[in-house]
Amino acid sequence: MRNLLIPDAASKRLNAELSPLLDSINLYKMHEGGKITFKGQRIDPEDADIHYGWFSRDVMFGGYGREYAVQLLKSPNLKWVQSATAGLDNSFFAKLASKGIRMTNSDAQAPAIAEYVIASVLERYQGFVDRRQYQASHNWQDNDFRELYNSNWLVIGYGNIGRRVGIIANAFEANVTGVKRSSVDSPGANKVITYADIQNVLPEQDVVVLACALTDDTKEMVNEAFLTAMKKDAVLVNIGRGDLIDEAALLKTLDSDQIDYAILDVFHTEPLPADSQFWDHPRVLLTPHSSNQGSGTNDRGDRLFMRNLTALVKGDALINEVDTKELL
Amino acid sequence: MRNLLIPDAASKRLNAELSPLLDSINLYKMHEGGKITFKGQRIDPEDADIHYGWFSRDVMFGGYGREYAVQLLKSPNLKWVQSATAGLDNSFFAKLASKGIRMTNSDAQAPAIAEYVIASVLERYQGFVDRRQYQASHNWQDNDFRELYNSNWLVIGYGNIGRRVGIIANAFEANVTGVKRSSVDSPGANKVITYADIQNVLPEQDVVVLACALTDDTKEMVNEAFLTAMKKDAVLVNIGRGDLIDEAALLKTLDSDQIDYAILDVFHTEPLPADSQFWDHPRVLLTPHSSNQGSGTNDRGDRLFMRNLTALVKGDALINEVDTKELL
């Protein structure tokens, strides 16, 4: 028998699907506030010898992330953790990696984030702000709009999220360049380049999407030199991590009209401080790290977790297993 | 030699491309106001024996549509007219059809209109109105959003425009049902049905797009019975013709919250009267018959015209030739 620490909310949603596994898996449930129960009885966290963990969205948004993380970190027999996030740059995951724990990340949010990216660029290109003003004033006034058709997209980080952005942009007949560490052909991308070649192609890009992991190599990759190389009518989209961008350099670029627009879902400091200049900037559309919050994200996360838990019980390969050496 | 009546603005844009054809084609240029010149000299319209016409966007938006149409209709040797529109339901085209004139319609606006459709549905699904309010008030407030992923789309009229909508929606992993007069498989559509089957599938559709021609059969097809069969959270998009919808029935449906939203680019009366209830309706996003006004539409129209003019000179088949019997 293996012990799974499952968020109580998730155990309720997945009750029927978990039941066939209960001859191999004990369910230790963590509730809001961090209390743990086993077979309906509250137990001392010291008595919960956890093998499997699921750092789900229930945990992330339920206010007991710290308690959940602490419980996993102090479980000496921990074998596997499923994350609800794509990026594992949080120090919690580095600690797990240092212990040799197997980890799988999530692509459940990828469709949601890809929709956010496409929708936000279209929001700018189509001029909905003007349209709504015309409508409000009963003004039969048209607005020409920029098309994605034939536009050039640079998608930096062509993993689960970037690839979906590329596939959709491609369906609009945009020209998609994906950026990966090795330039292997990939669906949706007209071509794939490596990070070393970004600077060469930047001057032609209409839309630049940051969808890569935050590492020592990518930290503040969008700096003054990067921004200066961009087209004056380019749109920058960040759904990766705030620290991919030198925010002071970006503000300077936006202030001097050197690029058209920035769509920002992530920031150096989150929540974004109330006095940040990004809030009121006419060239910024911002959201609170919520590009993942599509209506299907939770369900896709549940499906992924169940597939991996079942694979683990059967001894099959896991989906989205991460090379933990890269997290050290 | 054949005589082409070309909008002056178009002749300027296409000067270089037209020049190889000038041993077969005379250029009669119509200017704003309707005056005609030949080799730089103003001529009497009675002396312009026109063989080929191009009812381009220059004509439509230049204020001399009537003069251009009259000139073509009174030209006894007229052979071919290229339209800038997809729909040829204007009585001008029926008159040409009755004379046996060859006609080609346009798909140049299809990418623009498809982008408008996807963008407008995303605008609703993503909740940009709320997002912009949160941003304006420096409020780090998220909003869950509906996804196109796994949503059901009914695209009524699966021609050049509908097919593009389908292909893009499909890239979002929406389930696309196309409606055609004959149910032949078509790109982007998970299945294709005929008009007779619409009522059967309506109750499952999240998004219903009207992209069909206006005919006696399709006039006011969106009536009370149609609207009553729709899901309560469905979005209706009309980029076809205003008369596809019974507008009184639609207003009643929207007033009673029986569907979620209507995205309307076309209306029974255009411009939409200032006292129309659509303007201020909280469940309506409207635009002034401008979904075609993408940044690439003019250039694609020029390319299509040049291909067809060249094909005509060479005796090759025309692209987008219309069965003129259907216009009678």
Side-chain angles (χ1 to χ4, degrees):
Chain A
M1 294 294 282
R2 298 295 192 181
N3 298 333
L4 166 68
L5 184 63
I6 188 166
D8 179 53
S11 77
K12 285 176 176 147
R13 285 197 307 275
L14 297 174
N15 189 36
E17 288 147 85
L18 284 165
S19 81
L21 300 177
L22 294 184
D23 51 0
S24 317
I25 303 280
N26 288 316
L27 300 183
Y28 286 74
K29 301 179 184 175
M30 186 170 274
H31 303 256
E32 294 200 13
K35 123 185 134 154
I36 299 175
T37 60
F38 179 59
K39 297 188 173 173
Q41 302 295 315
R42 179 160 189 174
I43 62 162
D44 188 325
E46 300 299 324
D47 297 335
D49 180 22
I50 302 301
H51 302 101
Y52 303 152
W54 181 19
F55 207 89
S56 75
R57 289 166 59 88
D58 310 286
V59 176
M60 291 165 61
F61 296 108
Y64 55 103
R66 176 181 297 266
E67 291 80 356
Y68 196 91
V70 166
Q71 186 67 34
L72 293 188
L73 287 170
K74 73 181 184 192
S75 296
N77 296 305
L78 188 67
K79 306 288 182 210
W80 166 66
V81 175
Q82 172 70 51
S83 170
T85 61
L88 302 184
D89 46 294
N90 188 294
S91 62
F92 164 63
F93 296 109
K95 287 178 195 156
L96 292 177
S98 72
K99 297 172 171 222
I101 312 298
R102 295 177 76 182
M103 273 179 268
T104 45
N105 75 352
S106 179
D107 57 1
Q109 63 289 75
I113 297 176
E115 293 196 23
Y116 168 93
V117 170
I118 301 287
S120 301
V121 174
L122 283 170
E123 157 85 2
R124 178 63 176 174
Y125 269 31
Q126 294 262 326
F128 280 109
V129 172
D130 288 342
R131 281 185 187 161
R132 290 200 177 274
Q133 282 174 356
Y134 298 144
Q135 179 173 348
S137 52
H138 297 208
N139 184 359
W140 185 259
Q141 171 66 52
D142 55 15
N143 67 323
D144 290 358
F145 56 87
R146 263 178 102 170
E147 294 175 359
L148 299 196
Y149 182 94
N150 218 15
S151 62
N152 294 330
W153 286 56
L154 184 70
V155 183
I156 301 178
Y158 210 73
N160 288 320
I161 296 167
R163 196 165 52 240
R164 280 193 174 266
V165 171
I167 288 169
I168 299 170
N170 210 269
F172 280 94
E173 298 192 41
N175 312 305
V176 176
T177 302
V179 181
K180 294 175 78 165
R181 280 180 294 185
S182 57
S183 64
V184 179
D185 283 355
S186 202
N190 300 84
K191 65 176 173 182
V192 175
I193 63 172
T194 64
Y195 284 79
D197 287 325
I198 289 177
Q199 203 74 12
N200 298 330
V201 302
L202 261 183
E204 301 137 31
Q205 304 305 321
D206 296 296
V207 180
V208 176
V209 181
L210 305 177
C212 53
L214 177 65
T215 67
D216 289 344
D217 291 336
T218 60
K219 189 170 185 195
E220 300 204 349
M221 66 182 293
V222 179
N223 54 20
E224 192 172 342
F226 186 108
L227 291 160
T228 305
M230 287 176 71
K231 279 175 73 176
K232 276 201 73 143
D233 63 357
V235 173
L236 175 70
V237 186
N238 189 6
I239 48 79
R241 288 288 184 264
D243 287 353
L244 296 171
I245 296 179
D246 174 345
E247 292 189 344
L250 176 59
L251 274 169
K252 197 174 141 201
T253 298
L254 292 167
D255 284 343
S256 54
D257 302 346
Q258 283 179 63
I259 67 170
D260 177 59
Y261 211 62
I263 294 161
L264 304 173
D265 189 47
V266 287
F267 300 89
H268 179 72
T269 304
E270 297 179 7
L272 186 65
D275 64 352
S276 165
Q277 293 176 63
F278 285 125
W279 289 109
D280 294 323
H281 206 291
R283 296 191 178 280
V284 171
L285 179 65
L286 71 82
T287 42
H289 204 144
S290 61
S291 62
N292 56 82
Q293 287 183 219
S295 46
T297 302
N298 277 336
D299 188 56
R300 287 187 299 267
D302 285 353
R303 300 279 81 72
L304 174 64
F305 168 73
M306 285 306 306
R307 282 180 67 177
N308 272 340
L309 182 66
T310 306
L312 212 59
V313 167
K314 292 188 179 173
D316 294 342
L318 300 178
I319 299 168
N320 292 342
E321 183 153 9
V322 169
D323 181 355
T324 52
K325 286 194 301 295
E326 301 211 344
L327 303 178
L328 297 176
Chain B
M1 294 295 281
R2 297 295 192 180
N3 299 331
L4 165 67
L5 184 63
I6 189 166
D8 179 54
S11 77
K12 285 177 176 146
R13 285 197 305 275
L14 297 174
N15 188 35
E17 287 146 88
L18 284 165
S19 81
L21 299 176
L22 294 184
D23 50 2
S24 317
I25 302 280
N26 289 316
L27 299 183
Y28 286 73
K29 300 179 185 175
M30 186 171 273
H31 302 257
E32 295 202 12
K35 126 182 134 156
I36 299 175
T37 60
F38 178 59
K39 297 189 174 176
Q41 302 298 312
R42 178 159 188 177
I43 62 162
D44 187 325
E46 301 298 324
D47 297 335
D49 181 22
I50 302 301
H51 301 100
Y52 301 153
W54 181 19
F55 206 88
S56 76
R57 289 165 59 88
D58 310 286
V59 177
M60 291 165 62
F61 296 108
Y64 55 102
R66 175 182 299 266
E67 291 79 357
Y68 196 91
V70 165
Q71 186 67 33
L72 292 188
L73 286 170
K74 72 181 183 192
S75 294
N77 295 306
L78 188 67
K79 305 288 182 210
W80 165 66
V81 175
Q82 171 70 52
S83 171
T85 63
L88 302 184
D89 47 296
N90 187 294
S91 63
F92 165 64
F93 296 109
K95 287 178 195 156
L96 292 178
S98 71
K99 297 174 173 219
I101 312 298
R102 295 177 77 182
M103 273 180 268
T104 45
N105 74 353
S106 177
D107 57 2
Q109 63 287 78
I113 297 177
E115 294 196 24
Y116 169 94
V117 170
I118 301 288
S120 301
V121 174
L122 284 169
E123 157 84 3
R124 177 63 176 174
Y125 270 31
Q126 295 263 326
F128 280 108
V129 172
D130 288 342
R131 281 185 188 162
R132 288 201 177 272
Q133 281 174 356
Y134 298 144
Q135 180 174 346
S137 52
H138 297 209
N139 184 359
W140 185 258
Q141 170 66 52
D142 55 16
N143 66 325
D144 291 358
F145 57 87
R146 265 177 102 171
E147 294 174 359
L148 300 196
Y149 182 94
N150 217 16
S151 62
N152 295 329
W153 287 55
L154 185 69
V155 182
I156 300 177
Y158 210 73
N160 287 321
I161 296 167
R163 197 166 50 240
R164 280 192 174 266
V165 171
I167 288 168
I168 299 169
N170 210 269
F172 280 94
E173 297 193 40
N175 312 303
V176 177
T177 302
V179 181
K180 295 176 76 166
R181 282 180 291 185
S182 57
S183 63
V184 180
D185 283 354
S186 201
N190 300 83
K191 66 177 172 180
V192 176
I193 63 172
T194 63
Y195 283 80
D197 287 325
I198 289 177
Q199 202 72 14
N200 299 329
V201 302
L202 262 181
E204 302 137 31
Q205 304 305 321
D206 297 295
V207 180
V208 176
V209 181
L210 305 177
C212 54
L214 177 65
T215 67
D216 289 345
D217 291 335
T218 60
K219 190 171 183 194
E220 300 204 350
M221 66 182 294
V222 180
N223 54 21
E224 191 172 343
F226 185 108
L227 291 160
T228 306
M230 287 176 72
K231 280 175 72 176
K232 276 201 74 144
D233 62 357
V235 173
L236 176 68
V237 186
N238 190 6
I239 47 79
R241 288 289 183 264
D243 287 353
L244 296 171
I245 295 179
D246 174 344
E247 292 188 344
L250 176 57
L251 274 168
K252 197 175 140 198
T253 299
L254 293 167
D255 284 343
S256 55
D257 301 346
Q258 284 178 62
I259 68 171
D260 177 58
Y261 211 62
I263 293 160
L264 305 172
D265 188 47
V266 287
F267 299 89
H268 179 72
T269 304
E270 296 177 7
L272 186 66
D275 64 351
S276 165
Q277 292 176 64
F278 285 125
W279 288 109
D280 294 322
H281 206 292
R283 296 191 179 282
V284 171
L285 179 65
L286 70 82
T287 42
H289 203 143
S290 60
S291 61
N292 55 83
Q293 286 181 221
S295 46
T297 302
N298 277 336
D299 187 56
R300 288 186 298 266
D302 285 352
R303 300 279 82 71
L304 174 63
F305 169 73
M306 285 306 306
R307 282 180 67 176
N308 272 339
L309 182 66
T310 306
L312 212 60
V313 167
K314 292 188 178 173
D316 293 343
L318 300 178
I319 299 168
N320 293 342
E321 183 153 9
V322 170
D323 181 354
T324 52
K325 286 192 301 294
E326 301 209 346
L327 303 178
L328 298 175

